[in-house]
Amino acid sequence: MPTPVSNARACLAAETAAALDDAVGVARRRAHIQTTSLHVVYALIISTSSSSGGRGGGGGGSSAPCSILRDALSRARSSAYSARLQFKALELCFGVALDRLPSSNRQAAEGSDDPPVSNSLMAAVKRSQANQRRNPDTFHLYQQQQQTAAAAGGATSFSGVKVELQQLVLAILDDPVVSRVFGDAGFRSMDIKLAILRPPPPILHFPRAPRCPPLFLCNFSSGDGFETALTSKELFFPFSTAPIGDLCSDGGEENCRRIGEILARKKSGQNPMLVGVGAGEAAREFARAVEQKNLAVLPLELRGIEFISIEKEVAELGSLEISTLMEELEKKTESSGVVLNIGDLNRMVEGSVKCDEQESCLVSELTRLLEVYHGRLWLMGWSTTYETYMKFLSKHPMLDKDWDLQLLPITSLSTSLGGCMPRSPSYASLHRMAVLAMLQILAYRRHSLMESFVPFGGFFPTACESKSLFSSVYQSMFCYENCNDKYKQEAAVNIKDHSASFGGQENANMPFWLRKANMVSLQDEHDGAKDKTLSGVKSLDLQRTNKEDCSVLCSATIPNNKKACTQNTEIHDDAETERGIDSYPISACTQNTSMRSKSMSLLGNKDLSRLQIRFSETEQFQRENFLSHQVDDHASPSSVTSIMTDLVLGTPHEPIYNKESSDLQLQKDHSKEFSASWPPKKLHMVKGNDPGLRTQEVHVEEFSSSLPTMTVDIVRGNGPDLPLESFSCSDHQEPKSKSSPLIVTPSFSHISSGCTSMDDKPSSASPATGQTIDIGNYKSFCTRLMNKLGRQEEAISAVSQAIIDCKTGQRRRGGILRGDIWLIFGGPDKIGKRIMALALAEMIYGSKENFVCIDLSCQDIFPCPKTICARQNVHGNGVHFRGKMSVDHIAQELSRKPLSVIFLENVERADLLVQNSLCQAIDTGKFPDSHGRQFSVNNSIFVLAASSTQGQTFFERKDYPIFSEETILDARCWQMKIILQSAPESICIPKSNVSLSITPKTRNDRLYVYSPSIFLSKRKLKVSDGCENGTLQSAKRAHKTAKMFLDLNVPVEELEALDSNSAGQEELPDVEISKAWMEDLFNRVDRVVDFKPFDFDALAEIMLQNVSKTFHSTVGPDCLLEIDPKVMNELLAAAWLLETRGALDYWFDKVLGKSFTEARCTYKLSNNSILRLACDDVLAEKNAPGVLLPSTVIVD
Amino acid sequence: MGGSSNNQNQNQNHNHNHNHNHNHGGSKVPEASSGGSGNKLLQVLNVRVVGSGERVVVLSHGFGTDQSAWNRILPYFQRDYRLILYDLICAGSVNPDHFDFRRYTTLDSYVDDLLSILHALRVDRCFFIGHSISAMIGIIAAIRRPDLFLKLILICASPRFLNDGDYHGGFERGEVEKVFFAMESNYKAWVQGFAPLAVGADVPAAVQEFSRTLFNMRPDISLFVCRTVFNSDLRGVLGLVRAPCVVIQTAKDVSVPLSVASYLKVQLGGRTTVELLPVEGHLPHLSAPSILVQPLRRALASHR
């Protein structure tokens, strides 16, 4: 039961009551049934934000109490944004939250009664009452209050504690509803509470709220000279000016304290043995402390003790009269407690033989004394290293027990570095500067900064928002007037902030905020505009203003984009009833690729609560939209997803939409994957009209990134009275779909996601075309893949079949509605797999850009990979992803490019997180990242490349290839060079007519053919061994040696040697898990496609032919050429990567040929000279065009 | 310590994002005192216990970061280990009022804190993963309580940062004095240079994150802690460590030269292995988490 306002007021102190009045006022204006905590906070914020004191009932002089919250907020807020901005955001958030509250019906609202206080607010009042009664901090306040009340003669009962505003605010902050709204605006209730509890001390010395620096740039406008101070060189930290306290950062005192603690112990281990580099110093320090009777350091028990050092005596052990020393000691010990310092153990350890006797004598004497004077005599010593101590102990075993020694590691040196520490520097100013400096650092990484503040993703106030607010929620008949009224009032409050007048033209104001690019002012203007329009102008005008606003907004925030194209689609429902207005400003900026693919689907419903849900969607959508405009230099607000995942779509209530319902589900999924990216952009509009009721809008819009055009399919339901003022560009699409596959393919994906199945609708022709193309063309699909790859026929047909099956719904996994496809490419031919995946991306999604390649094995070994094969996809792992976990990397790519082929290499090396996420994505269609955000994979094709295939691990080859995939993968882009072999005599050249040892026998025996070249380079002589078996074996051996050779040349990290018994070889439990996981994965994906090993030997033959051709034509037939295996590997790797051989031919011709010619000239080649094509262990600086081979071959 | 288990549960429920993890409640902020209640300390240092495993792993962050630095590592271990996270008293996420300039003059006080936390949580055996300054803390803690630590995993650890005779710690005294002078006279410039330098690798996200946590530290505290660290010299006591250690070192680290890793291997008393990461920078858990995870897992798994 809600409490009447008057009852609640009775519990409150004057200020608090005033605040409550304000809150009630807010509730009344908004026609809410109850006054809740939200109202109170909103009233507090509003009343303080309007400097002119716009509060009605609060009274004039009440600025102080209201500023409690404001103050706290200003100290608790995040430092990332300007105060003004954040406060605006806060107001907005609360405004929005209030709008979600149920309104009373009109009769009740018109009644004179104030909305009663809600239970939750009343509970907060009670809580604060109780707290106030208990809390010693406010007890005196309460007392005072009692006294004043008593003085006034009132009969104050104990229960009648008047709640102070502070207490009430604190209690309200506990309200989860309130803290959630604060959270939306980037505040944390906890911070605010702390800030309230710890009011700022005078001047700037307030303690920091945890994590949040108190002051910030925004608190200092550029006018007050702060910025000039920042940029000038004389910005100093106040360390030097701060009073120099008596606190040094040296650990001397601390060490003394510890020594003292040990001495004062009651149990065993009373005699400290200091070990550490600073031990000697610590001992001296302690001696000084005892002399000075430094009570701050020494424990009470040790008061009055004496410190005796026999360090010197021990140093001259040889001439030491132990008996006299002992007598002396005994005497002193009788009178007072004594700490005996025997000094550095090193001296005792390193004594001569004669000293040894003395030493053991001394030791035994000391042992005796310690026993006798237990509790009065302590012993201490020190040693710089532990080793010395151990030596000492080995000389005198059991001494640590006899002497009751306690090792005390001394780890800090008392010689302090850098002078003294200030005691109380000006924290605030320190902080200000620190934060400023940080901003500067981060300024150039604005996009990443934006990313990091994604938690606030939803908080940018947007112009669009208010509109959507207006249009989607307040369309219902019965509350329209109320809204109107309310808006007038709120806008009136808001407008007071602004001196600018909105009576005039909108355009007149534009330069102002265009210059400033200030979102807040924009927002305000918008409010103003709203105010203006609402107060009499028709809503159509408002729409136009909005439209203008938004388009200007878009162009203003993306000033750099030449091609920023702004689109506004507006659909006016019945203009007379002023309902059903929805407009989506969408700016597509193709230049920056910051285009976001987004689809928004809305469903109207009769049900008011549904409307509210919808409203929130719209709002978030709009915010997002706005955010994307703001982040003009391409940030991907990936986090937005987290917001969007909450979205709940209303279910359609009209039978006509049954068909769409499934689509809408998909749409929902789609809308979750927020991506500031790429091509096909969807906004689908399906508009149905339900006479007398709300309209339903489903928007699907398509953008094609390559063209700055926008296509909007508007599917209209049976609503004859709907004026559609929007771009209907579907005709754009159709012709193109015929002309080029580039445009067709997005629509293909369309089908897959089931976005448009409205075949009966007039303008949805494109899906149909897409369908026919793909299903009919299995063969052409195959052919095209074959053209791209040129090998792996079986794999190609398997892939094609799998894709077609999935697209047509005959998939292995359930969930026909989902469009994601999961393939595993197993087996060897790593590059072939990559090319195939890339080809898929190109064919299905229209562009090579829709291809994401992530190697799970080498996630963040950054500087660019050195091997040729890894170099190719280096662009995929840009700076942007360094330091990110693989799973986040994948998620981010997913959000950037929802329509793409995600190619994960080395999937068996996936870490735990990726494993989990992949499994979940296969099951649910959502890929969770490490923060739990989920990204839809519904339109993606996942290609997982594994080296193993299902069942068998590696493809067994019957013959032994000379070049294995491993070696080729290891090849790097070495700098090649041509060397003249000096002493060819030792090499037995097989035949007299050999021109190039490689060419002559090509046809007969291919293994033989180039093994000689390897042998030659290895200085092995049995070149002419024609025996098939022999060559085969020797080839095999050669291969092995070549491999070793290669490995030896990999620059071994010198310090890996250091790591001799590293645990690297140990079998991990993870390996088992991974295996099981892979098995599981094989069973769950749509299709496992096995690849065959690539025939490197054949390729090598071709390469050799090419080389020999070049060699022939340039050097002539009389010379020999040997090729290093390393070079061969390099050539093979480069050739493997290429889809066409053109660039390689060019390289042979221009690069290698040129060098051969040069070599001929330089070396004056005779018959039978042998040239060698070798390579250094230096990576080539430049690559030849189109192929990853060095741009020059050096002639030595 | 009556309510420690209770507190623990509460902490377990906490969100991953430690930013929401401020246990300060009530109007009186609890005071951190050396002998004070463990519970208070748990609150002050934002102690969290996450994960569901038998074995306990304590994660202790380094200078200029707070426990959020481990966020990228956590998911890999939560399934198998119970992870204890806390902030050092000097971290930006701890109320700076608790930083007692008298008390935290040596690393021993930090060790006190660590041991008190473990005591309050009733941990009797644990693995310790410490980065930078916390590696030092771990070493001292293991000397003081050899029974408590099953294994020390020391990331970018150094027993002594200053050069000294044959020992190459990476810093000359004069250099450090200059750095301190620079910090005092122009904090801004220092900070601008330091974060990217420390992160080493070109990982913007890590630089940003490190800058964030670094700036969260009150500058006077950060300077004070710097001095404490540079004044510390653990070389003499390394032999006292009995627990097996794993020293994880990056290929290039502005603060710790590679020779230090081998020095540690030789000097540390327990069975010590060195893991060299093929990445650069002083903060591998920020800049290359997935690389760091592998040796960490190995180190934790290979025990016994």
Side-chain angles (χ1 to χ4, degrees):
Chain A
M1 268 305 288
T3 319
V5 175
S6 53
N7 291 10
R9 282 200 64 168
C11 309
L12 306 175
E15 293 168 6
T16 325
L20 181 68
D21 286 343
D22 286 351
V24 171
V26 170
R28 191 173 49 226
R29 281 202 299 277
R30 295 195 167 227
H32 288 152
I33 298 167
Q34 297 181 347
T35 308
T36 65
S37 310
L38 286 176
H39 291 102
V40 176
V41 179
Y42 187 68
L44 283 174
I45 294 169
I46 287 295
S47 65
T48 43
S49 71
S50 59
S51 52
S52 54
R55 304 191 306 134
S62 60
S63 64
C66 291
S67 63
I68 285 182
L69 185 60
R70 185 81 172 186
D71 267 3
L73 287 174
S74 68
R75 279 178 292 130
R77 81 204 159 68
S78 150
S79 52
Y81 294 103
S82 81
R84 232 162 68 88
L85 185 62
Q86 219 173 350
F87 285 133
K88 274 291 161 204
L90 186 64
E91 270 173 43
L92 202 87
C93 285
F94 271 98
V96 164
L98 286 179
D99 290 333
R100 295 182 198 180
L101 293 175
S103 305
S104 63
N105 55 36
R106 204 178 304 167
Q107 288 78 25
E110 278 170 356
S112 57
D113 289 341
D114 288 332
V117 176
S118 75
N119 281 343
S120 67
L121 179 56
M122 208 50 213
V125 169
K126 297 279 185 210
R127 273 202 310 274
S128 43
Q129 226 171 2
N131 201 30
Q132 206 166 325
R133 216 178 296 146
R134 279 194 309 265
N135 197 326
D137 267 7
T138 46
F139 189 68
H140 66 283
L141 286 174
Y142 164 65
Q143 287 284 332
Q144 272 179 357
Q145 196 183 323
Q146 291 285 80
Q147 280 160 11
T148 47
T156 52
S157 71
F158 203 65
S159 62
V161 177
K162 300 284 187 190
V163 173
E164 293 294 335
L165 186 59
Q166 191 200 31
Q167 288 295 331
L168 183 62
V169 171
L170 284 176
I172 284 175
L173 284 172
D174 286 333
D175 193 330
V177 179
V178 173
S179 33
R180 207 185 55 224
V181 180
F182 271 120
D184 287 346
F187 287 93
R188 280 181 294 145
S189 292
M190 195 50 91
D191 287 346
I192 303 170
K193 275 171 81 172
L194 273 177
I196 291 175
L197 286 170
R198 291 192 282 162
I203 323 175
L204 290 173
H205 284 252
F206 39 76
R208 230 156 45 90
R211 219 178 73 80
C212 295
L215 276 180
F216 194 50
L217 180 60
C218 48
N219 295 356
F220 299 84
S221 66
S222 58
D224 64 10
F226 187 72
E227 280 179 6
T228 52
L230 179 74
T231 48
S232 76
K233 295 275 179 200
E234 346 159 359
L235 179 69
F236 288 120
F237 260 65
F239 289 115
S240 46
T241 57
I244 290 172
D246 52 350
L247 295 170
C248 291
S249 67
D250 69 75
E253 286 199 358
E254 176 73 13
N255 287 335
C256 293
R257 202 174 55 74
R258 278 175 190 278
I259 296 171
E261 266 173 21
I262 289 179
L263 292 173
R265 271 191 200 175
K266 289 281 179 285
K267 50 184 171 124
S268 65
Q270 290 185 348
N271 300 316
M273 182 57 65
L274 315 186
V275 177
V277 175
E281 257 172 298
R284 283 189 285 280
E285 194 87 23
F286 183 73
R288 214 172 306 139
V290 174
E291 274 167 34
Q292 291 166 355
K293 302 204 176 351
N294 187 346
L295 296 179
V297 173
L298 298 177
L300 281 177
E301 296 91 324
L302 297 183
R303 236 175 247 185
I305 61 161
E306 217 171 310
F307 189 91
I308 297 172
S309 175
I310 54 168
E311 210 165 345
K312 275 181 199 148
E313 287 84 344
V314 170
E316 294 141 17
L317 252 174
S319 56
L320 181 64
E321 286 294 326
I322 293 179
S323 51
T324 51
L325 180 69
M326 288 302 134
E327 274 169 32
E328 226 174 280
L329 272 179
E330 275 184 74
K331 228 182 282 168
K332 281 190 179 157
T333 317
E334 297 285 350
S335 57
S336 65
V338 165
V339 176
L340 180 68
N341 180 17
I342 60 168
D344 193 350
L345 295 182
N346 205 25
R347 292 178 183 154
M348 300 184 89
V349 173
E350 290 177 357
S352 60
V353 185
K354 188 201 165 201
C355 295
D356 274 357
E357 264 174 47
Q358 287 276 54
E359 188 198 330
S360 46
C361 178
L362 175 70
V363 167
S364 58
E365 279 297 307
L366 285 177
T367 314
R368 187 185 56 83
L369 277 186
L370 278 173
E371 248 171 61
V372 174
Y373 296 100
H374 183 77
R376 299 186 63 81
L377 177 67
W378 290 271
L379 191 113
M380 65 182 276
W382 59 270
S383 130
T384 38
T385 63
Y386 176 64
E387 281 68 35
T388 317
Y389 172 69
M390 289 311 285
K391 262 187 222 161
F392 181 68
L393 277 194
S394 65
K395 263 180 139 180
H396 310 279
M398 300 304 289
L399 198 65
D400 51 339
K401 293 278 172 303
D402 293 344
W403 281 8
D404 205 10
L405 288 180
Q406 172 67 44
L407 262 190
L408 179 63
I410 300 292
T411 55
S412 65
L413 303 181
S414 46
T415 47
S416 73
L417 277 164
C420 293
M421 274 302 296
R423 196 165 189 169
S424 54
S426 159
Y427 305 144
S429 53
L430 286 178
H431 244 96
R432 200 164 64 222
M433 289 173 217
V435 170
L436 280 173
M438 173 162 85
L439 269 195
Q440 288 206 341
I441 289 177
L442 296 179
Y444 71 95
R445 300 211 164 95
R446 194 163 131 220
H447 59 280
S448 44
L449 188 71
M450 291 304 294
E451 264 175 319
S452 79
F453 295 128
V454 183
F456 308 132
F459 103 61
F460 286 99
T462 77
C464 322
E465 185 179 70
S466 53
K467 177 177 55 193
S468 74
L469 224 167
F470 179 71
S471 53
S472 31
V473 177
Y474 296 106
Q475 290 155 0
S476 24
M477 253 315 219
F478 57 85
C479 74
Y480 187 71
E481 274 106 326
N482 286 333
C483 297
N484 202 349
D485 182 40
K486 176 184 3 172
Y487 266 110
K488 250 186 250 171
Q489 299 197 23
E490 281 187 14
V493 172
N494 281 338
I495 204 166
K496 280 178 184 143
D497 262 349
H498 256 283
S499 51
S501 93
F502 298 99
Q505 293 291 313
E506 280 294 309
N507 286 340
N509 288 321
M510 277 170 190
F512 161 66
W513 51 268
L514 214 145
R515 235 183 296 123
K516 286 237 172 190
N518 190 332
M519 292 174 275
V520 179
S521 63
L522 200 114
Q523 169 64 33
D524 286 340
E525 272 193 32
H526 206 83
D527 288 346
K530 193 167 54 196
D531 182 39
K532 182 188 81 185
T533 43
L534 277 174
S535 54
V537 194
K538 279 178 188 170
S539 122
L540 208 63
D541 290 345
L542 172 66
Q543 286 298 312
R544 199 181 302 132
T545 331
N546 283 341
K547 187 178 172 183
E548 275 169 20
D549 250 354
C550 296
S551 49
V552 175
L553 162 71
C554 297
S555 52
T557 50
I558 319 173
N560 298 332
N561 299 325
K562 290 171 201 145
K563 287 192 187 172
C565 95
T566 310
Q567 305 276 9
N568 259 321
T569 49
E570 290 190 31
I571 294 143
H572 283 237
D573 193 4
D574 231 340
E576 287 85 28
T577 52
E578 300 179 337
R579 287 186 287 138
I581 303 155
D582 255 287
S583 76
Y584 293 88
I586 286 140
S587 98
C589 79
T590 52
Q591 191 87 1
N592 255 348
T593 74
S594 73
M595 213 190 242
R596 324 183 51 214
S597 121
K598 190 185 307 167
S599 70
M600 188 61 208
S601 49
L602 292 177
L603 266 185
N605 210 313
K606 294 172 204 169
D607 185 336
L608 186 59
S609 62
R610 284 279 163 71
L611 281 182
Q612 282 160 354
I613 293 165
R614 275 188 61 242
F615 154 64
S616 71
E617 282 165 26
T618 335
E619 167 212 332
Q620 272 150 347
F621 170 67
Q622 299 287 11
R623 283 177 180 176
E624 279 324 311
N625 203 354
F626 190 83
L627 190 68
S628 79
H629 297 329
Q630 285 301 314
V631 188
D632 49 355
D633 52 2
H634 179 205
S636 58
S638 55
S639 66
V640 168
T641 36
S642 58
I643 299 168
M644 290 305 282
T645 41
D646 304 337
L647 300 190
V648 182
L649 278 165
T651 40
H653 64 289
E654 281 288 303
I656 191 171
Y657 292 109
N658 281 348
K659 202 167 200 175
E660 274 89 31
S661 73
S662 59
D663 305 335
L664 282 164
Q665 289 304 101
L666 288 157
Q667 285 278 328
K668 184 179 77 178
D669 290 336
H670 195 97
S671 67
K672 281 178 194 165
E673 30 171 89
F674 262 98
S675 45
S677 68
W678 277 103
K681 186 157 181 168
K682 297 181 184 177
L683 173 60
H684 210 116
M685 301 189 177
V686 179
K687 187 145 189 174
N689 189 25
D690 190 2
L693 278 171
R694 292 292 332 287
T695 57
Q696 299 192 344
E697 288 102 11
V698 177
H699 303 248
V700 176
E701 166 196 15
E702 271 197 28
F703 273 62
S704 135
S705 73
S706 50
L707 312 162
T709 57
M710 172 179 145
T711 52
V712 181
D713 294 350
I714 294 170
V715 184
R716 213 193 299 171
N718 45 357
D721 56 338
L722 295 183
L724 291 177
E725 307 172 359
S726 56
F727 305 81
S728 178
C729 307
S730 49
D731 48 337
H732 268 266
Q733 198 173 357
E734 274 193 71
K736 270 166 208 147
S737 68
K738 277 163 196 150
S739 60
S740 79
L742 207 84
I743 307 299
V744 175
T745 42
S747 52
F748 173 93
S749 69
H750 233 196
I751 302 169
S752 71
S753 65
C755 273
T756 57
S757 61
M758 294 146 282
D759 298 11
D760 51 335
K761 304 287 158 56
S763 56
S764 59
S766 51
T769 45
Q771 199 143 13
T772 50
I773 281 177
D774 278 298
I775 293 175
N777 286 356
Y778 162 67
K779 268 201 175 152
S780 74
F781 199 87
C782 278
T783 322
R784 281 166 66 192
L785 268 183
M786 194 60 205
N787 288 341
K788 300 261 183 200
L789 188 57
R791 55 179 185 261
Q792 305 283 11
E793 292 82 356
E794 289 166 37
I796 283 173
S797 75
V799 167
S800 311
Q801 193 59 54
I803 301 265
I804 301 294
D805 283 355
C806 290
K807 291 294 183 195
T808 51
Q810 307 160 355
R811 50 196 298 158
R812 187 159 140 189
R813 296 175 299 120
I816 299 158
L817 291 179
R818 276 167 47 196
D820 52 329
I821 299 175
W822 294 79
L823 301 173
I824 286 183
F825 288 1
D829 197 0
K830 217 172 168 178
I831 300 298
K833 291 187 239 177
R834 193 190 296 161
I835 294 173
M836 171 99 88
L838 186 62
L840 284 180
E842 210 175 337
M843 290 167 59
I844 294 172
Y845 297 116
S847 155
K848 282 184 177 174
E849 299 295 340
N850 293 343
F851 177 68
V852 177
C853 174
I854 297 171
D855 189 345
L856 293 177
S857 70
C858 64
Q859 223 287 299
D860 37 12
I861 299 180
F862 13 94
C864 76
K866 292 187 183 79
T867 63
I868 291 177
C869 298
R871 269 250 298 262
Q872 215 196 21
N873 58 341
V874 70
H875 56 84
N877 312 2
V879 182
H880 212 63
F881 299 106
R882 287 181 195 164
K884 290 217 165 114
M885 292 188 266
S886 309
V887 62
D888 289 342
H889 184 174
I890 297 169
Q892 189 160 355
E893 289 289 354
L894 262 177
S895 71
R896 277 180 57 219
K897 305 176 183 176
L899 295 172
S900 60
V901 171
I902 312 282
F903 180 63
L904 304 179
E905 284 193 302
N906 292 315
V907 73
E908 64 268 18
R909 304 274 296 273
D911 63 40
L912 214 71
L913 297 182
V914 175
Q915 289 177 5
N916 288 341
S917 289
L918 284 178
C919 280
Q920 204 171 325
I922 291 176
D923 289 344
T924 65
K926 309 274 187 308
F927 186 92
D929 71 359
S930 68
H931 307 284
R933 293 182 299 222
Q934 302 208 322
F935 297 83
S936 170
V937 298
N938 274 2
N939 299 308
S940 307
I941 296 179
F942 271 80
V943 179
L944 314 175
S947 62
S948 57
T949 57
Q950 202 165 17
Q952 76 215 61
T953 44
F954 270 100
F955 201 93
E956 281 298 319
R957 248 193 120 171
K958 277 147 215 119
D959 54 343
Y960 296 95
I962 291 169
F963 294 97
S964 75
E965 190 167 332
E966 285 168 69
T967 29
I968 305 298
L969 284 172
D970 267 350
R972 303 187 183 194
C973 189
W974 304 115
Q975 179 59 55
M976 295 183 195
K977 61 183 180 182
I978 297 172
I979 307 167
L980 181 67
Q981 287 297 89
S982 51
E985 292 89 70
S986 64
I987 298 169
C988 167
I989 294 156
K991 296 276 187 289
S992 55
N993 64 340
V994 179
S995 54
L996 180 73
S997 65
I998 297 153
T999 36
K1001 292 197 172 180
T1002 307
R1003 258 160 241 125
N1004 303 337
D1005 180 1
R1006 63 178 64 161
L1007 277 178
Y1008 184 70
V1009 167
Y1010 47 83
S1011 53
S1013 69
I1014 294 168
F1015 278 125
L1016 282 173
S1017 64
K1018 294 267 105 184
R1019 300 282 188 273
K1020 293 198 175 169
L1021 301 180
K1022 299 213 169 181
V1023 187
S1024 56
D1025 184 355
C1027 168
E1028 174 77 355
N1029 270 342
T1031 29
L1032 216 129
Q1033 276 176 357
S1034 51
K1036 190 86 171 91
R1037 252 190 294 136
H1039 163 54
K1040 268 182 189 155
T1041 46
K1043 247 175 92 181
M1044 260 172 63
F1045 183 56
L1046 269 178
D1047 284 351
L1048 285 174
N1049 280 291
V1050 175
V1052 181
E1053 305 286 340
E1054 29 191 278
L1055 277 140
E1056 267 165 10
L1058 189 152
D1059 179 12
S1060 54
N1061 55 348
S1062 130
Q1065 296 80 13
E1066 285 174 44
E1067 181 87 347
L1068 284 175
D1070 286 4
V1071 174
E1072 281 306 308
I1073 296 169
S1074 286
K1075 265 184 196 158
W1077 177 76
M1078 278 304 288
E1079 283 297 311
D1080 188 35
L1081 199 67
F1082 275 121
N1083 293 327
R1084 282 157 89 168
V1085 294
D1086 292 312
R1087 185 74 174 247
V1088 178
V1089 180
D1090 289 347
F1091 278 62
K1092 281 191 201 148
F1094 184 77
D1095 190 353
F1096 287 107
D1097 297 355
L1099 182 64
E1101 193 182 329
I1102 297 170
M1103 290 294 105
L1104 283 176
Q1105 277 169 358
N1106 278 320
V1107 175
S1108 79
K1109 208 171 71 196
T1110 315
F1111 191 65
H1112 257 296
S1113 58
T1114 49
V1115 179
D1118 295 334
C1119 295
L1120 265 172
L1121 175 73
E1122 9 171 301
I1123 302 175
D1124 259 14
K1126 260 171 87 180
V1127 174
M1128 203 61 218
N1129 285 339
E1130 193 176 338
L1131 287 173
L1132 287 176
W1136 190 22
L1137 291 175
L1138 289 177
E1139 287 175 37
T1140 57
R1141 296 272 151 76
L1144 201 62
D1145 290 341
Y1146 177 86
W1147 185 83
F1148 280 127
D1149 197 28
K1150 299 289 180 217
V1151 181
L1152 193 62
K1154 201 178 121 218
S1155 297
F1156 280 148
T1157 319
E1158 201 183 321
R1160 193 187 58 197
C1161 303
T1162 329
Y1163 297 140
K1164 311 225 164 30
L1165 296 171
S1166 61
N1167 281 359
N1168 295 341
S1169 356
I1170 297 179
L1171 288 180
R1172 203 168 123 225
L1173 186 56
C1175 54
D1176 288 330
D1177 290 340
V1178 185
L1179 291 179
E1181 284 165 15
K1182 261 178 77 184
N1183 285 333
V1187 60
L1188 288 169
L1189 287 172
S1191 60
T1192 53
V1193 176
I1194 299 168
V1195 178
D1196 252 6
Chain B
M1 314 299 164
S4 63
S5 59
N6 179 26
N7 199 308
Q8 188 177 314
N9 290 336
Q10 179 196 333
N11 282 322
Q12 263 171 343
N13 294 337
H14 271 228
N15 204 318
H16 286 201
N17 190 349
H18 102 288
N19 293 340
H20 297 287
N21 181 38
H22 289 279
N23 288 338
H24 309 285
S27 59
K28 285 284 177 192
V29 182
E31 286 174 0
S33 58
S34 57
S37 132
N39 278 330
K40 264 183 186 170
L41 195 70
L42 294 186
Q43 285 189 354
V44 167
L45 298 182
N46 306 318
V47 177
R48 289 198 295 150
V49 183
V50 296
S52 55
E54 290 277 300
R55 289 181 290 176
V56 179
V57 179
V58 182
L59 293 157
S60 187
H61 66 84
F63 173 78
T65 54
D66 56 39
Q67 58 177 287
S68 66
W70 301 112
N71 281 356
R72 291 151 185 240
I73 304 288
L74 292 188
Y76 295 95
F77 297 99
Q78 275 177 342
R79 192 189 61 191
D80 302 329
Y81 300 94
R82 196 150 71 94
L83 305 164
I84 297 177
L85 295 153
Y86 74 106
D87 289 333
L88 296 180
I89 191 76
C90 59
S93 45
V94 173
N95 186 344
D97 295 346
H98 297 307
F99 192 87
D100 183 349
F101 285 95
R102 288 170 202 279
R103 185 164 168 252
Y104 291 97
T105 51
T106 70
L107 293 178
D108 294 285
S109 314
Y110 296 87
V111 176
D112 288 341
D113 286 349
L114 171 64
L115 296 178
S116 313
I117 288 170
L118 295 180
H119 180 69
L121 295 177
R122 295 179 183 161
V123 173
D124 52 358
R125 311 282 278 165
C126 67
F127 293 92
F128 178 88
I129 301 179
H131 170 243
S132 166
I133 177 178
S134 277
M136 293 172 130
I137 292 170
I139 289 172
I140 304 172
I143 293 170
R144 277 172 47 185
R145 290 287 306 280
D147 55 310
L148 202 53
F149 297 94
L150 289 165
K151 191 170 210 171
L152 299 180
I153 297 160
L154 311 171
I155 303 170
C156 298
S158 174
R160 172 71 167 162
F161 286 99
L162 292 181
N163 296 339
D164 179 15
D166 289 341
Y167 176 77
H168 181 62
F171 295 88
E172 284 295 340
R173 179 170 287 268
E175 268 172 33
V176 176
E177 297 283 359
K178 265 184 220 154
V179 168
F180 285 154
F181 181 75
M183 278 174 87
E184 284 179 26
S185 54
N186 194 341
Y187 193 78
K188 188 187 102 196
W190 176 74
V191 152
Q192 275 179 335
F194 184 65
L197 203 66
V199 172
D202 185 12
V203 184
V207 173
Q208 184 192 323
E209 182 64 12
F210 182 57
S211 305
R212 178 182 76 79
T213 46
L214 188 60
F215 277 114
N216 272 347
M217 291 177 75
R218 217 169 64 185
D220 57 329
I221 293 179
S222 91
L223 183 55
F224 191 86
V225 175
C226 262
R227 284 181 207 283
T228 309
V229 171
F230 277 107
N231 279 335
S232 298
D233 189 342
L234 269 60
R235 284 175 297 159
V237 302
L238 292 177
L240 292 166
V241 177
R242 284 282 160 259
C245 297
V246 177
V247 176
I248 297 179
Q249 175 68 24
T250 57
K252 193 175 160 216
D253 184 336
V254 280
S255 311
V256 185
L258 281 169
S259 60
V260 169
S262 42
Y263 182 88
L264 281 173
K265 179 167 165 54
V266 173
Q267 298 290 324
L268 279 168
R271 194 169 52 84
T272 304
T273 55
V274 174
E275 294 262 7
L276 201 82
L277 300 185
V279 294
E280 297 184 359
H282 187 55
L283 299 137
H285 47 326
L286 287 179
S287 58
S290 39
I291 298 258
L292 178 63
V293 162
Q294 296 152 19
L296 286 183
R297 279 201 87 88
R298 271 204 295 276
L300 294 176
S302 68
H303 182 70
R304 269 178 304 231

